[in-house]
Amino acid sequence: MTNFDLGKNPATDPALLLRYRDRQYAADLMAVAILKLNLFSWIDAQQVVSTKQIGSEFGLAERPLDVLLTLCRAGGWVTTEADQHRLTELAEEHLVDSSPYYLGPYYEPIVESPIAQGCYQVLTRDRPANWQAKDDSNDWHESMLDESFAKGFTALMNCRGVAMGQTLASAVQPWLSDVTTVLDIGAGSGIYTSTLLAKNNQLSATIFEQTPVDKIAHAEIVRHGMGDRIKIVSGDMFKDAWPTTDCILLSNVLHDWDFPAIRALIQKSAETLRSGGKVIVHEAFLNDAKDGPLPVAEYSVLLVNITQGRCYSPAEYTAIFEEFGFRCDPYQDTIADRGFFVATKL
Ligand SMILES: C[S@@+](CC[C@H](N)C(=O)[O-])C[C@H]1O[C@@H](n2cnc3c(N)ncnc32)[C@H](O)[C@@H]1O
């Protein structure tokens, strides 16, 4: 990639190309729900059930059950009102084993696949399965400390980050008038900072990453000719102090974690910023009703399997930001099922 203009937005949206990969785990989770749990036949027999009833009947943990129910609403198999779940007509016809239109056998070939076994483990034990459900690998968080895994995974995030970063950089312009420094927490290759700085000459930035990704980020920043504008700080974002800044970028970071860690990161953001300081939260968001968009509900199945997080709605994050003294502007789409919102410290 020579003479590449980091400030130039892509002309096309690669959403579908990313969706094939992002929804890779959703079919296996459905196989588990239909065949291993026989969830839909059980709900049909009860007519209406609460989340707690489903959890205790099948021994399912809260985080993965939330992901499963979100997928069921987004797919149009379940409706939820005041935490009461019912089957739709579609599910009654095709997902209940006594129906002549039952499609369970269609999922038989994958119900014992390594990914389906990983989904079942996560559903019942709430711990991330191994990366790509390989027996000999660690979970994603541990794997990111290994040099060769971190290199491959950072390249994966970097390649989608070019178009996503450029589009995000255009979309956040209205919030940048008072901003001179950006702190990119869990920055990966730093592509989101590089694209932001390419469009904003007044900005300088600090990237905060753990080893060995910090070294990968350094090489990438030098490659993009950003070495004099971006500083790298190596550390643990939970344990170490964050440098002061006007604006914090949390891109694809919060969705790696469950609520206690998310609260800790938002609290650190509040402690780091002065009044008027901003946090840009960028990733794939569910809608506030948590019944879509379907591609994000499907992607959440991948995240719940490989990380300690899932996809969240803006409302879920906003409630925590408000507790820590922020005001959140409305969520906006960017590209490829991703988007952002900005939280301003009051
Ligand atoms: C999903 S990646 C997101 C990378 C980049 N922000 C993006 O949007 O593509 C999450 C990043 O958080 C980093 N990370 C995870 N735990 C961390 C910790 N305790 N301290 C610092 N960085 C951490 C990982 O190394 C990884 O690069």
Side-chain angles (χ1 to χ4, degrees), residues 60-67 122-123 125-128 139-141 237-238 252-267 283 290 300 303-312 316-317 320 324:
L60 307 183
E62 195 178 324
R63 179 182 70 109
L65 177 54
D66 188 274
V67 170
V122 170
L123 276 170
R125 290 205 253 152
D126 195 26
R127 61 178 288 271
D139 83 18
W140 179 82
H141 297 275
M237 64 189 179
F238 293 108
N252 300 307
V253 168
L254 295 182
H255 71 186
D256 288 343
W257 303 98
D258 207 348
F259 283 114
I262 291 169
R263 289 177 66 82
L265 293 172
I266 294 176
Q267 182 170 4
E283 55 191 48
K290 291 174 69 177
S300 193
L303 289 181
V304 82
N305 270 277
I306 68 165
T307 73
Q308 295 172 27
R310 62 171 171 86
C311 291
Y312 295 89
E316 288 178 298
Y317 287 144
I320 305 173
F324 286 100

Side-chain angles (χ1 to χ4, degrees), residues 140 144 157 160 184-188 192 208-210 213 235-238 251-253 255-257:
W140 179 82
M144 280 303 275
M157 292 186 289
R160 70 180 186 183
D184 189 351
I185 296 290
Y192 290 88
F208 194 101
E209 251 296 348
Q210 62 188 358
V213 181
D236 183 324
M237 64 189 179
F238 293 108
S251 173
N252 300 307
V253 168
H255 71 186
D256 288 343
W257 303 98

Side-chain angles (χ1 to χ4, degrees), residues 156-204:
L156 174 163
M157 292 186 289
N158 180 71
C159 73
R160 70 180 186 183
V162 178
M164 289 182 188
Q166 290 165 338
T167 314
L168 177 67
S170 299
V172 297
Q173 290 302 321
W175 284 271
L176 297 182
S177 55
D178 295 337
V179 173
T180 56
T181 56
V182 175
L183 174 64
D184 189 351
I185 296 290
S189 67
I191 187 66
Y192 290 88
T193 288
S194 295
T195 47
L196 195 59
L197 266 57
K199 280 191 169 58
N200 294 280
N201 290 331
Q202 86 282 9
L203 293 182
S204 63

